[in-house]
Amino acid sequence: MVVCSTVGSGKGVRDNAGDAGYAGARLLVVAGGEGAGGGAVADAMIETFRTCGIGVASGEDVGTGLDAAITAVRARLQHLKEGSPVLSDTYASFAAMAWSGRDIAVANLGDAAAFLLRDGELFQITEDNLFHGCVINPWWHPTSLRTLDDKREVDIEVLRRTAQMCDCYLLCTGGLLTAVPAETMWEVLTSVQDRAWAVQRLLDLAKQRGGPSSITCMIADVIPGPQRP
């Protein structure tokens, strides 16, 4: 099997937000930064994920690799904030998916999210809620805030799944998640077969509905074929 992906980005209402995306042979990431230097924060997360080499080592567990990459991302952002006071109030978010064969690992931070379309049904496979400007997971203890603000404890869970042929994954930042309901995402994913057009349609809908943040989304389809080295 192979994962074939398409990514797109657009601007939201706020000027202090920045998004970025990356599609590699074994890794997909969308990332967002909110606040001063938001774009630099998003770029730093993408660059760190990209250079971690997830899945390169023979026999590496993909979940372990993604967890190690997240640790590296956290360290990189802490370093950025310590070196630049203007970033102290900047919030970070990402959704990342790594795979090897049929083994899938997914993780997210903040208001970025991942969805799975399987057998005609769309499921959100990451869970987050926005509460008074801080993103928390309602199933976790309330003090476990899911931002990379260095004043708070952060707990990021790597979820494991098994891919099936014809699965479709959607990764998106908060600009899409907060503006476009899941029902509309489902309509686009099931009716627009050209994935470049589907991505653009989702971006347009988010802009039309006043998406507050920058918008990045990525659609990835699981299709027959050999995985790229």
Side-chain angles (χ1 to χ4, degrees):
M1 54 163 270
V2 63
V3 176
C4 182
S5 60
T6 303
V7 62
S9 296
K11 296 294 292 182
V13 174
R14 298 173 187 158
D15 293 329
N16 65 343
D19 279 11
Y22 171 74
R26 289 180 173 85
L27 175 69
L28 305 175
V29 187
V30 295
E34 187 83 21
V41 167
D43 290 342
M45 286 189 286
I46 291 295
E47 180 64 15
T48 306
F49 271 117
R50 187 186 68 80
T51 56
C52 279
I54 296 176
V56 173
S58 177
E60 179 188 53
D61 176 77
V62 68
T64 302
L66 182 56
D67 190 54
I70 291 169
T71 298
V73 167
R74 292 173 61 160
R76 175 75 181 276
L77 292 186
Q78 292 294 345
H79 178 74
L80 283 178
K81 289 183 179 183
E82 289 169 2
S84 178
V86 72
L87 298 179
S88 61
D89 293 323
T90 300
Y91 287 85
S93 63
F94 69 76
M97 185 179 91
W99 66 93
S100 178
R102 293 184 179 273
D103 296 330
I104 300 282
V106 183
N108 78 311
L109 173 79
D111 59 358
F115 292 81
L116 167 63
L117 177 66
R118 175 178 288 176
D119 297 330
E121 295 189 58
L122 185 66
F123 308 90
Q124 184 171 342
I125 56 176
T126 56
E127 297 267 353
D128 277 310
N129 287 329
L130 194 64
F131 180 73
H132 295 312
C134 297
V135 179
I136 64 173
N137 186 318
W139 299 105
W140 293 41
H141 191 277
T143 59
S144 183
L145 299 174
R146 295 170 68 80
T147 72
L148 281 181
D149 185 333
D150 56 12
K151 298 176 183 177
R152 301 185 174 99
E153 183 67 23
V154 180
D155 206 345
I156 303 171
E157 183 179 10
V158 174
L159 307 174
R160 299 167 186 266
R161 306 189 65 90
T162 301
Q164 294 183 11
M165 210 62 67
C166 299
D167 279 352
C168 175
Y169 292 88
L170 169 66
L171 277 64
C172 63
T173 54
L176 182 71
L177 186 65
T178 57
V180 179
E183 294 82 0
T184 303
M185 296 181 192
W186 177 86
E187 291 175 1
V188 173
L189 292 174
T190 56
S191 64
V192 183
Q193 298 306 310
D194 184 316
R195 291 317 197 193
W197 280 103
V199 165
Q200 189 58 53
R201 177 59 178 156
L202 290 171
L203 295 176
D204 290 343
L205 286 169
K207 294 175 187 176
Q208 292 168 12
R209 298 177 185 214
S213 302
S214 294
I215 308 152
T216 294
C217 66
M218 182 179 297
I219 298 174
D221 291 292
V222 178
I223 62 176
Q227 184 162 325
R228 289 178 289 171

